[in-house]
Amino acid sequence: MTEAINAETLSATHILEYPYTRSVGPVIGRFLAGLRDRRIEGVRTAGGRVLVPPVEYDPRTGEPLSEFVEVGQAGVVSTWAWVAAPRRNHPLDRPFAWALIRLDGADTALLHTVDAGDESKMATGMRVRVRWRESTAGEIHDIACFEPEAS
Amino acid sequence: MREVAIVSFAQAPSVRRETERNEVEMLTPVIAEAIERSAISRKEIGFTISGSSDYLAGQPFSFVTALDAVGAWPPIRESHVEMDGAWALYEAWVRLQIGDVDSALVYAFGKSSPGDLGEVLALQLDPYYLAPLWPDPVSLAALQARALLESTGYTERDMAEVAARSRRDAQSNPNAQVASDFSVDDLLAEPYLVSPLRKHDCPPVSDSAAAVVLAAGDLARRVCERPAWVRGIDHRIDPHYPGVRNLAESPSAALAAREAGVGDAPVDVAEVHAPFSHQELILRDALGLDGRTAINPSGGALAANPVMAAGLIRIGEAARRIMEGNARRAVAHATSGPCLQQNLVCVLEGD
């Protein structure tokens, strides 16, 4: 009986879109423009911490931030997660790691991917280096991924 | 503060896929049951508020459609939050403090099954740095789990024990979705989903709805034998970007717990909204709960996790234990955002 009811359930594909246009502003805009030029910039707080990626306001104090600092293109993995089966929208189409990466000169960590090939190559504290996308466009995807730094 | 109590709670059983009924059809009997149990007539309810997400329903202003479940007459004073229903309950509690109305209906609904939660929940992330990478909730939780495992003494076995206990307790909850007696060793033998998380560390995909009726002072005493009084309620938020905070702890949950007065007296039962097993470990510490408190006797979000309703259900489950006379002091918690970013804590007491 239940089978019969289910078989008659109507269904239809529904495509949902939220086609908003956003402006990125003076801080995020500068970071993204830096990526286009293969440069990674953070912002320094009054307390001296360098936030990467930069934000317009200090998350601790709410003070507006505007002092930009270029940081390194390599850094340290502070935590990671191994994706054995990437989802269709993930940045890499082969097994990869998500990682929080504290770039040299930064006090906070950037979320991105590490193309390590195998989970056994991943460890907290390992050093990774940015791999730029062939052609950059001023977006987070200009960083294709990170890769383990040759030791 | 004006005394406000939960006087009734109702929920739909959580299911993996509700194919036959839309949101209004799921809500209608739940709201009717909550109002009937409250012994307050529908036309006397002073304020109505819901929590839900258009991104789940796949249509703008879906909460307006859901109002059909409340009824078209008489006209009502109504509000909505694009959040878990626990935050709708907070707004209702604030509304009752004004003093001109004495009761409120709070409801929440979430049908997660029509879409893909891994993609839908990525859309709650900041649209410049995070969302374009599509980090799904399991991946973000896995980053948090490893941060916890590597900076504390907690182990994957501790996580599996949370999952096994939750699903074992869920066997006595007719509204739970995943209820079974798993052995911890068997769970640990399973492969990783997104390491260090295994399937059992993650919540099920659930469709459900829930409703709570609040009443103030004398009205609560008149309609309910054992009202669950809201003695403290507070919600706090941590920075959104996961790389700017220590994911192994939850300062906002700890602050909300302190402001709500969790530690002022022993807690008989706590219903914490921990969709991932390791998050219960973080929350136990943040809320200061120890072995004297029964944690998630309902099975919690690991047994049923209807997005947008699971937090309100934690409050309802905690209140139910007081209303049924099985607890004197209870704590309920709800979370929102990636990696326990935002947290609400509510302390409930019987007379």
Side-chain angles (χ1 to χ4, degrees), chain A residues 5-6 9 14 16 22 28 31 53-54 79-82 87-91 98 100 108-111 119 124 140-141, chain B residues 19-20 54-55 58 116 118-119 127-130 132-136 139 142-143 146-147 150 194-195 239 241 243 247:
Chain A
I5 291 170
N6 282 334
T9 303
H14 173 54
L16 175 66
R22 301 173 185 274
I28 294 169
F31 175 80
T79 184
W80 55 279
W82 187 255
R87 303 175 61 91
R88 62 174 185 165
N89 288 333
H90 280 167
W98 292 106
L100 286 174
T108 62
L110 176 80
L111 177 79
E119 184 172 4
T124 300
I140 195 71
H141 284 291
Chain B
T19 52
E20 312 288 330
D54 286 357
Y55 282 76
D116 177 346
E119 293 184 8
Y128 315 106
Y129 298 151
L130 294 173
L133 300 173
W134 293 96
D136 57 281
S139 293
L143 289 170
R146 190 178 308 279
E150 294 186 350
V194 176
S195 91
Y241 196 83
L247 296 179

Side-chain angles (χ1 to χ4, degrees), chain B residues 81-126:
Chain B
V81 293
E82 188 81 5
M83 300 192 73
D84 187 290
W87 276 266
L89 184 140
Y90 183 87
E91 184 178 326
W93 177 82
V94 170
R95 184 66 185 80
L96 288 170
Q97 295 305 316
I98 296 172
D100 60 328
V101 296
D102 295 328
S103 61
L105 166 68
V106 181
Y107 64 92
F109 58 99
K111 269 185 87 166
S112 300
S113 65
D116 177 346
L117 273 186
E119 293 184 8
V120 171
L121 290 179
L123 295 173
Q124 75 180 318
L125 304 171
D126 105 62

Side-chain angles (χ1 to χ4, degrees), chain B residues 18 77 80 117 121 155 158 198 285 301 312:
Chain B
E18 170 61 68
R77 281 178 277 206
H80 173 260
L117 273 186
L121 290 179
T155 62
D158 293 325
R198 296 178 175 84
D285 292 341
L312 182 65

